Amino acid sequence: MEKNFWLTSEPIEINDVISKVVRPEAGAINTFIGTVREFTKDKRTLYLEYQAYVPMAEKKLQEIAEEIEVKWKDTKTAIAHRTGRLEISEVAVAIAVSTPHRKDAFEASRYAIERIKEIVPIWKKEHWEDGALWIGDQKETKSYKEQLPTKEE
Amino acid sequence: MEKNFWLTSEPIEINDVISKVVRPEAGAINTFIGTVREFTKDKRTLYLEYQAYVPMAEKKLQEIAEEIEVKWKDTKTAIAHRTGRLEISEVAVAIAVSTPHRKDAFEASRYAIERIKEIVPIWKKEHWEDGALWIGDQKETKSYKEQLPTKEE
């Protein structure tokens, strides 16, 4: 079965994501790519690490696509998210949404990245020059000092 | 010199466009891809044809990027547009904008496609089962029955 929502420890090929949503009914494809940024204000990131509960994360990505199908007419969505260690400028997440007309493609793609950060169980560890921290949730409103939260949390 | 704004009669490789905007300062890349849609309401398109005043079109694409740099902080933009005959689902235009944060990437990419349709001298000929028509302007508010407008028009 074709998999349109997946986590991978290998580099994400953007074309693999886009090609899943190309279709004759679509005139617009919006793609959002999240890459590893080196500087946040003056703080320099050396690399990132992502960990995920993979089956749950893939299920949640699919749920987001189903939400999009309800909110916008005639969409097709594909999403890939990296796990493991990522260097600067590497692709952390790639979203592609195809629609007949462009307005919907932009809106749905934006919705997808916001929802990923809200509901998909993926944790990010930032490695800086002077230390490292697990970011508690993808909206970055809390953090964990030493380790991943337990499943019970 | 690296060319970030170009017209081409060859198929557009999305990665060629995206790779021009990847950089350590960016955490977000938004890509908009316009593809040839088969059906508009019940009317079936067989293929499209684009003609352009190439040097002027490339200059206008660059102008759009400069407008974006003024409107949003710290952006990098690349745009490729096809000319010639395009089959269903082929890429007509690809835009990539990278920014530190995602909100700006979405907004600037949306701005770019709207401006392309407003100011870039590219004409589209729709070929349907029962005829063909040059679309007069990219906003599709006027059409030319038989032929391209003259330069004087």
Side-chain angles (χ1 to χ4, degrees), chain B residues 5 7 53-66 119-121:
Chain B
F5 312 97
L7 273 72
Y53 298 135
V54 174
M56 178 60 78
E58 292 184 344
K59 190 168 165 286
K60 289 289 178 186
L61 293 178
Q62 181 161 359
E63 270 181 40
I64 292 169
E66 288 162 4
I119 69 166
V120 182

Side-chain angles (χ1 to χ4, degrees), chain A residues 24-135:
Chain A
E25 300 82 12
I29 300 170
N30 192 277
T31 303
F32 178 78
I33 303 163
T35 54
V36 180
R37 190 178 59 234
E38 188 170 12
F39 285 96
T40 298
K41 289 168 191 166
D42 291 337
K43 200 155 188 170
R44 184 180 180 192
T45 296
L46 300 178
Y47 62 95
L48 291 186
E49 217 180 315
Y50 284 99
Q51 283 195 20
Y53 298 136
V54 174
M56 177 61 77
E58 292 185 342
K59 190 168 163 290
K60 289 288 179 188
L61 293 178
Q62 181 161 359
E63 271 181 40
I64 292 169
E66 289 163 5
E67 290 175 9
I68 286 172
E69 280 168 36
V70 172
K71 287 177 178 286
W72 291 273
K73 202 181 146 194
D74 193 5
T75 60
K76 191 165 183 189
T77 302
I79 306 172
H81 202 298
R82 269 291 291 279
T83 57
R85 175 178 167 145
L86 277 78
E87 309 301 326
I88 301 301
S89 288
E90 277 202 278
V91 175
V93 59
I95 299 163
V97 184
S98 70
T99 58
H101 302 281
R102 64 184 178 276
K103 182 170 177 286
D104 288 354
F106 278 95
E107 290 176 5
S109 170
R110 179 74 196 271
Y111 179 84
I113 184 63
E114 300 303 330
R115 286 298 276 159
I116 287 171
K117 288 173 183 287
E118 281 168 9
I119 68 167
V120 181
I122 299 173
W123 294 271
K124 178 168 79 170
K125 189 176 189 176
E126 291 253 16
H127 292 262
W128 300 290
E129 287 170 307
D130 60 351
L133 197 65
W134 281 105
I135 308 299

Side-chain angles (χ1 to χ4, degrees), chain B residues 57-138:
Chain B
E58 292 184 344
K59 190 168 165 286
K60 289 289 178 186
L61 293 178
Q62 181 161 359
E63 270 181 40
I64 292 169
E66 288 162 4
E67 290 175 10
I68 286 172
E69 280 168 38
V70 172
K71 286 176 180 286
W72 290 273
K73 204 183 143 192
D74 194 4
T75 59
K76 191 166 184 189
T77 303
I79 307 173
H81 202 298
R82 267 293 289 281
T83 57
R85 177 178 166 143
L86 277 78
E87 308 301 326
I88 301 301
S89 287
E90 277 201 277
V91 175
V93 59
I95 298 162
V97 184
S98 70
T99 59
H101 302 282
R102 65 184 178 277
K103 182 171 177 287
D104 288 353
F106 277 96
E107 290 177 4
S109 170
R110 180 73 197 272
Y111 178 84
I113 184 63
E114 300 303 330
R115 286 297 276 160
I116 287 171
K117 289 176 183 284
E118 281 168 9
I119 69 166
V120 182
I122 299 172
W123 293 270
K124 178 168 78 169
K125 189 175 189 177
E126 291 255 15
H127 291 261
W128 299 291
E129 288 170 307
D130 60 351
L133 197 65
W134 281 104
I135 308 299
D137 64 312
Q138 289 216 69

